[in-house]
mmCIF file of all heavy atoms in Angstrom:
data_model
loop_
_atom_site.group_PDB
_atom_site.id
_atom_site.type_symbol
_atom_site.label_atom_id
_atom_site.label_comp_id
_atom_site.label_asym_id
_atom_site.label_seq_id
_atom_site.Cartn_x
_atom_site.Cartn_y
_atom_site.Cartn_z
ATOM 1 N N GLN A 33 -32.832 -6.915 -3.949
ATOM 2 C CA GLN A 33 -33.643 -5.724 -4.301
ATOM 3 C C GLN A 33 -32.747 -4.495 -4.412
ATOM 4 O O GLN A 33 -31.565 -4.539 -4.109
ATOM 5 C CB GLN A 33 -34.801 -5.490 -3.331
ATOM 6 C CG GLN A 33 -34.525 -5.606 -1.876
ATOM 7 C CD GLN A 33 -33.684 -4.523 -1.228
ATOM 8 O OE1 GLN A 33 -32.671 -4.804 -0.591
ATOM 9 N NE2 GLN A 33 -34.084 -3.275 -1.402
ATOM 10 N N GLY A 34 -33.380 -3.403 -4.818
ATOM 11 C CA GLY A 34 -32.667 -2.142 -4.932
ATOM 12 C C GLY A 34 -31.762 -2.118 -6.156
ATOM 13 O O GLY A 34 -31.778 -3.042 -6.983
ATOM 14 N N GLY A 35 -30.996 -1.057 -6.244
ATOM 15 C CA GLY A 35 -30.100 -0.922 -7.395
ATOM 16 C C GLY A 35 -28.869 -0.178 -6.963
ATOM 17 O O GLY A 35 -28.385 -0.384 -5.838
ATOM 18 N N CYS A 36 -28.422 0.744 -7.816
ATOM 19 C CA CYS A 36 -27.184 1.446 -7.474
ATOM 20 C C CYS A 36 -27.450 2.637 -6.559
ATOM 21 O O CYS A 36 -26.567 3.468 -6.351
ATOM 22 C CB CYS A 36 -26.424 1.833 -8.727
ATOM 23 S SG CYS A 36 -27.352 2.891 -9.816
ATOM 24 N N ASN A 37 -28.644 2.700 -5.996
ATOM 25 C CA ASN A 37 -28.879 3.635 -4.880
ATOM 26 C C ASN A 37 -28.092 3.185 -3.652
ATOM 27 O O ASN A 37 -27.756 3.981 -2.784
ATOM 28 C CB ASN A 37 -30.374 3.743 -4.546
ATOM 29 C CG ASN A 37 -31.084 2.407 -4.410
ATOM 30 O OD1 ASN A 37 -30.535 1.363 -4.755
ATOM 31 N ND2 ASN A 37 -32.310 2.428 -3.914
ATOM 32 N N ALA A 38 -27.814 1.892 -3.558
ATOM 33 C CA ALA A 38 -27.081 1.346 -2.416
ATOM 34 C C ALA A 38 -25.611 1.731 -2.505
ATOM 35 O O ALA A 38 -25.052 1.860 -3.591
ATOM 36 C CB ALA A 38 -27.214 -0.179 -2.407
ATOM 37 N N GLY A 39 -25.012 1.899 -1.340
ATOM 38 C CA GLY A 39 -23.560 2.100 -1.263
ATOM 39 C C GLY A 39 -23.059 1.201 -0.159
ATOM 40 O O GLY A 39 -23.368 1.417 1.000
ATOM 41 N N HIS A 40 -22.340 0.161 -0.524
ATOM 42 C CA HIS A 40 -21.950 -0.884 0.431
ATOM 43 C C HIS A 40 -20.425 -0.944 0.538
ATOM 44 O O HIS A 40 -19.745 -1.124 -0.464
ATOM 45 C CB HIS A 40 -22.495 -2.233 -0.034
ATOM 46 C CG HIS A 40 -23.987 -2.313 0.006
ATOM 47 N ND1 HIS A 40 -24.702 -3.337 -0.568
ATOM 48 C CD2 HIS A 40 -24.910 -1.510 0.579
ATOM 49 C CE1 HIS A 40 -25.988 -3.143 -0.347
ATOM 50 N NE2 HIS A 40 -26.140 -2.042 0.342
ATOM 51 N N THR A 41 -19.927 -0.828 1.763
ATOM 52 C CA THR A 41 -18.472 -0.783 1.961
ATOM 53 C C THR A 41 -17.966 -2.041 2.640
ATOM 54 O O THR A 41 -18.505 -2.457 3.669
ATOM 55 C CB THR A 41 -18.111 0.414 2.879
ATOM 56 O OG1 THR A 41 -18.895 1.528 2.491
ATOM 57 C CG2 THR A 41 -16.634 0.746 2.806
ATOM 58 N N VAL A 42 -16.916 -2.617 2.068
ATOM 59 C CA VAL A 42 -16.250 -3.753 2.715
ATOM 60 C C VAL A 42 -14.772 -3.387 2.867
ATOM 61 O O VAL A 42 -14.150 -2.908 1.914
ATOM 62 C CB VAL A 42 -16.381 -5.042 1.867
ATOM 63 C CG1 VAL A 42 -15.559 -6.178 2.475
ATOM 64 C CG2 VAL A 42 -17.843 -5.461 1.741
ATOM 65 N N VAL A 43 -14.252 -3.593 4.064
ATOM 66 C CA VAL A 43 -12.822 -3.357 4.275
ATOM 67 C C VAL A 43 -12.172 -4.711 4.564
ATOM 68 O O VAL A 43 -12.507 -5.376 5.548
ATOM 69 C CB VAL A 43 -12.580 -2.385 5.455
ATOM 70 C CG1 VAL A 43 -11.081 -2.093 5.607
ATOM 71 C CG2 VAL A 43 -13.348 -1.079 5.247
ATOM 72 N N ALA A 44 -11.307 -5.129 3.670
ATOM 73 C CA ALA A 44 -10.652 -6.428 3.826
ATOM 74 C C ALA A 44 -9.187 -6.283 3.465
ATOM 75 O O ALA A 44 -8.860 -5.686 2.422
ATOM 76 C CB ALA A 44 -11.306 -7.462 2.922
ATOM 77 N N ASN A 45 -8.312 -6.819 4.293
ATOM 78 C CA ASN A 45 -6.864 -6.737 4.079
ATOM 79 C C ASN A 45 -6.411 -5.303 3.789
ATOM 80 O O ASN A 45 -5.629 -5.053 2.878
ATOM 81 C CB ASN A 45 -6.436 -7.659 2.916
ATOM 82 C CG ASN A 45 -6.968 -9.061 3.103
ATOM 83 O OD1 ASN A 45 -6.938 -9.591 4.216
ATOM 84 N ND2 ASN A 45 -7.505 -9.645 2.039
ATOM 85 N N ASN A 46 -6.962 -4.394 4.565
ATOM 86 C CA ASN A 46 -6.621 -2.967 4.454
ATOM 87 C C ASN A 46 -7.038 -2.316 3.141
ATOM 88 O O ASN A 46 -6.585 -1.232 2.800
ATOM 89 C CB ASN A 46 -5.115 -2.729 4.657
ATOM 90 C CG ASN A 46 -4.723 -2.962 6.095
ATOM 91 O OD1 ASN A 46 -5.475 -2.592 6.995
ATOM 92 N ND2 ASN A 46 -3.606 -3.625 6.306
ATOM 93 N N ILE A 47 -7.862 -2.990 2.370
ATOM 94 C CA ILE A 47 -8.360 -2.377 1.130
ATOM 95 C C ILE A 47 -9.849 -2.107 1.309
ATOM 96 O O ILE A 47 -10.583 -2.947 1.837
ATOM 97 C CB ILE A 47 -8.145 -3.305 -0.092
ATOM 98 C CG1 ILE A 47 -6.662 -3.665 -0.214
ATOM 99 C CG2 ILE A 47 -8.643 -2.647 -1.378
ATOM 100 C CD1 ILE A 47 -6.366 -4.703 -1.263
ATOM 101 N N THR A 48 -10.277 -0.914 0.869
ATOM 102 C CA THR A 48 -11.702 -0.571 0.949
ATOM 103 C C THR A 48 -12.344 -0.790 -0.420
ATOM 104 O O THR A 48 -11.868 -0.268 -1.432
ATOM 105 C CB THR A 48 -11.868 0.898 1.395
ATOM 106 O OG1 THR A 48 -11.253 1.043 2.672
ATOM 107 C CG2 THR A 48 -13.336 1.283 1.498
ATOM 108 N N TYR A 49 -13.409 -1.575 -0.426
ATOM 109 C CA TYR A 49 -14.153 -1.841 -1.660
ATOM 110 C C TYR A 49 -15.524 -1.196 -1.515
ATOM 111 O O TYR A 49 -16.154 -1.315 -0.462
ATOM 112 C CB TYR A 49 -14.331 -3.347 -1.864
ATOM 113 C CG TYR A 49 -13.034 -4.108 -1.971
ATOM 114 C CD1 TYR A 49 -12.405 -4.610 -0.825
ATOM 115 C CD2 TYR A 49 -12.432 -4.326 -3.203
ATOM 116 C CE1 TYR A 49 -11.209 -5.315 -0.916
ATOM 117 C CE2 TYR A 49 -11.231 -5.038 -3.304
ATOM 118 C CZ TYR A 49 -10.637 -5.525 -2.154
ATOM 119 O OH TYR A 49 -9.454 -6.223 -2.245
ATOM 120 N N LYS A 50 -15.982 -0.558 -2.587
ATOM 121 C CA LYS A 50 -17.310 0.055 -2.551
ATOM 122 C C LYS A 50 -18.196 -0.618 -3.593
ATOM 123 O O LYS A 50 -17.867 -0.628 -4.778
ATOM 124 C CB LYS A 50 -17.207 1.548 -2.836
ATOM 125 C CG LYS A 50 -16.512 2.307 -1.686
ATOM 126 C CD LYS A 50 -16.451 3.791 -1.987
ATOM 127 C CE LYS A 50 -15.548 4.533 -1.033
ATOM 128 N NZ LYS A 50 -15.924 4.515 0.354
ATOM 129 N N PHE A 51 -19.281 -1.187 -3.107
ATOM 130 C CA PHE A 51 -20.229 -1.862 -3.997
ATOM 131 C C PHE A 51 -21.527 -1.075 -4.053
ATOM 132 O O PHE A 51 -21.909 -0.424 -3.085
ATOM 133 C CB PHE A 51 -20.545 -3.264 -3.474
ATOM 134 C CG PHE A 51 -19.333 -4.132 -3.301
ATOM 135 C CD1 PHE A 51 -18.824 -4.388 -2.036
ATOM 136 C CD2 PHE A 51 -18.700 -4.683 -4.393
ATOM 137 C CE1 PHE A 51 -17.697 -5.189 -1.870
ATOM 138 C CE2 PHE A 51 -17.573 -5.481 -4.243
ATOM 139 C CZ PHE A 51 -17.074 -5.737 -2.982
ATOM 140 N N HIS A 52 -22.187 -1.165 -5.184
ATOM 141 C CA HIS A 52 -23.499 -0.530 -5.308
ATOM 142 C C HIS A 52 -24.532 -1.582 -5.698
ATOM 143 O O HIS A 52 -25.573 -1.723 -5.090
ATOM 144 C CB HIS A 52 -23.436 0.612 -6.325
ATOM 145 C CG HIS A 52 -22.451 1.664 -5.910
ATOM 146 N ND1 HIS A 52 -22.756 2.633 -4.991
ATOM 147 C CD2 HIS A 52 -21.151 1.865 -6.232
ATOM 148 C CE1 HIS A 52 -21.682 3.398 -4.779
ATOM 149 N NE2 HIS A 52 -20.700 2.946 -5.522
ATOM 150 N N LEU A 53 -24.204 -2.326 -6.720
ATOM 151 C CA LEU A 53 -25.135 -3.323 -7.242
ATOM 152 C C LEU A 53 -24.539 -4.721 -7.151
ATOM 153 O O LEU A 53 -25.252 -5.715 -7.030
ATOM 154 C CB LEU A 53 -25.407 -2.961 -8.714
ATOM 155 C CG LEU A 53 -26.534 -3.631 -9.428
ATOM 156 C CD1 LEU A 53 -27.845 -3.431 -8.687
ATOM 157 C CD2 LEU A 53 -26.666 -3.035 -10.822
ATOM 158 N N ILE A 54 -23.250 -4.781 -7.203
ATOM 159 C CA ILE A 54 -22.558 -6.074 -7.202
ATOM 160 C C ILE A 54 -22.565 -6.645 -5.789
ATOM 161 O O ILE A 54 -22.261 -5.920 -4.833
ATOM 162 C CB ILE A 54 -21.139 -5.902 -7.786
ATOM 163 C CG1 ILE A 54 -21.299 -5.664 -9.301
ATOM 164 C CG2 ILE A 54 -20.270 -7.119 -7.521
ATOM 165 C CD1 ILE A 54 -20.171 -5.051 -10.000
ATOM 166 N N PRO A 55 -22.969 -7.904 -5.627
ATOM 167 C CA PRO A 55 -23.081 -8.482 -4.288
ATOM 168 C C PRO A 55 -21.766 -8.411 -3.503
ATOM 169 O O PRO A 55 -20.676 -8.615 -4.062
ATOM 170 C CB PRO A 55 -23.484 -9.932 -4.563
ATOM 171 C CG PRO A 55 -24.155 -9.885 -5.889
ATOM 172 C CD PRO A 55 -23.432 -8.821 -6.665
ATOM 173 N N SER A 56 -21.903 -8.135 -2.209
ATOM 174 C CA SER A 56 -20.717 -7.950 -1.363
ATOM 175 C C SER A 56 -19.968 -9.253 -1.101
ATOM 176 O O SER A 56 -18.963 -9.234 -0.401
ATOM 177 C CB SER A 56 -21.127 -7.314 -0.035
ATOM 178 O OG SER A 56 -21.887 -6.164 -0.250
ATOM 179 N N GLY A 57 -20.433 -10.374 -1.656
ATOM 180 C CA GLY A 57 -19.725 -11.639 -1.491
ATOM 181 C C GLY A 57 -18.669 -11.856 -2.567
ATOM 182 O O GLY A 57 -17.900 -12.822 -2.529
ATOM 183 N N ILE A 58 -18.561 -10.937 -3.510
ATOM 184 C CA ILE A 58 -17.730 -11.146 -4.704
ATOM 185 C C ILE A 58 -16.238 -11.252 -4.383
ATOM 186 O O ILE A 58 -15.458 -11.737 -5.199
ATOM 187 C CB ILE A 58 -17.995 -10.016 -5.748
ATOM 188 C CG1 ILE A 58 -17.504 -10.378 -7.150
ATOM 189 C CG2 ILE A 58 -17.403 -8.701 -5.311
ATOM 190 C CD1 ILE A 58 -18.450 -11.217 -7.939
ATOM 191 N N LEU A 59 -15.846 -10.837 -3.162
ATOM 192 C CA LEU A 59 -14.407 -10.861 -2.843
ATOM 193 C C LEU A 59 -13.877 -12.269 -2.618
ATOM 194 O O LEU A 59 -12.669 -12.480 -2.611
ATOM 195 C CB LEU A 59 -14.128 -9.987 -1.616
ATOM 196 C CG LEU A 59 -14.460 -8.500 -1.806
ATOM 197 C CD1 LEU A 59 -14.163 -7.718 -0.544
ATOM 198 C CD2 LEU A 59 -13.667 -7.909 -2.978
ATOM 199 N N TYR A 60 -14.774 -13.236 -2.406
ATOM 200 C CA TYR A 60 -14.318 -14.616 -2.212
ATOM 201 C C TYR A 60 -14.309 -15.348 -3.548
ATOM 202 O O TYR A 60 -15.171 -15.108 -4.394
ATOM 203 C CB TYR A 60 -15.242 -15.356 -1.246
ATOM 204 C CG TYR A 60 -15.259 -14.763 0.143
ATOM 205 C CD1 TYR A 60 -16.235 -13.854 0.506
ATOM 206 C CD2 TYR A 60 -14.283 -15.100 1.079
ATOM 207 C CE1 TYR A 60 -16.253 -13.295 1.775
ATOM 208 C CE2 TYR A 60 -14.299 -14.555 2.350
ATOM 209 C CZ TYR A 60 -15.281 -13.653 2.693
ATOM 210 O OH TYR A 60 -15.304 -13.109 3.940
ATOM 211 N N LYS A 61 -13.405 -16.275 -3.680
ATOM 212 C CA LYS A 61 -13.354 -17.074 -4.913
ATOM 213 C C LYS A 61 -14.385 -18.210 -4.808
ATOM 214 O O LYS A 61 -14.810 -18.576 -3.720
ATOM 215 C CB LYS A 61 -11.968 -17.692 -5.077
ATOM 216 C CG LYS A 61 -10.865 -16.667 -5.176
ATOM 217 C CD LYS A 61 -10.045 -16.862 -6.451
ATOM 218 C CE LYS A 61 -8.970 -15.812 -6.604
ATOM 219 N NZ LYS A 61 -9.403 -14.433 -6.661
ATOM 220 N N ASN A 62 -14.757 -18.738 -5.941
ATOM 221 C CA ASN A 62 -15.636 -19.920 -6.025
ATOM 222 C C ASN A 62 -17.002 -19.749 -5.382
ATOM 223 O O ASN A 62 -17.538 -20.674 -4.782
ATOM 224 C CB ASN A 62 -14.949 -21.150 -5.406
ATOM 225 C CG ASN A 62 -13.613 -21.399 -6.046
ATOM 226 O OD1 ASN A 62 -13.478 -21.239 -7.270
ATOM 227 N ND2 ASN A 62 -12.627 -21.744 -5.244
ATOM 228 N N LYS A 63 -17.548 -18.544 -5.439
ATOM 229 C CA LYS A 63 -18.920 -18.320 -4.974
ATOM 230 C C LYS A 63 -19.735 -17.840 -6.163
ATOM 231 O O LYS A 63 -19.203 -17.142 -7.038
ATOM 232 C CB LYS A 63 -18.992 -17.221 -3.915
ATOM 233 C CG LYS A 63 -17.947 -17.282 -2.839
ATOM 234 C CD LYS A 63 -18.416 -18.084 -1.670
ATOM 235 C CE LYS A 63 -17.343 -18.149 -0.601
ATOM 236 N NZ LYS A 63 -17.548 -19.174 0.376
ATOM 237 N N ILE A 64 -21.005 -18.202 -6.151
ATOM 238 C CA ILE A 64 -21.902 -17.644 -7.164
ATOM 239 C C ILE A 64 -22.514 -16.380 -6.556
ATOM 240 O O ILE A 64 -23.134 -16.435 -5.495
ATOM 241 C CB ILE A 64 -23.027 -18.659 -7.512
ATOM 242 C CG1 ILE A 64 -22.434 -19.968 -8.036
ATOM 243 C CG2 ILE A 64 -24.029 -18.065 -8.490
ATOM 244 C CD1 ILE A 64 -21.851 -19.900 -9.419
#
Side-chain angles (χ1 to χ4, degrees):
Q33 45 71 235
C36 59
N37 48 349
H40 293 169
T41 318
V42 174
V43 183
N45 309 318
N46 290 321
I47 304 173
T48 300
Y49 300 89
K50 291 181 191 298
F51 303 105
H52 300 279
L53 193 56
I54 288 161
S56 308
I58 197 83
L59 297 180
Y60 297 95
K61 299 235 178 301
N62 305 321
K63 315 269 179 196
I64 301 288

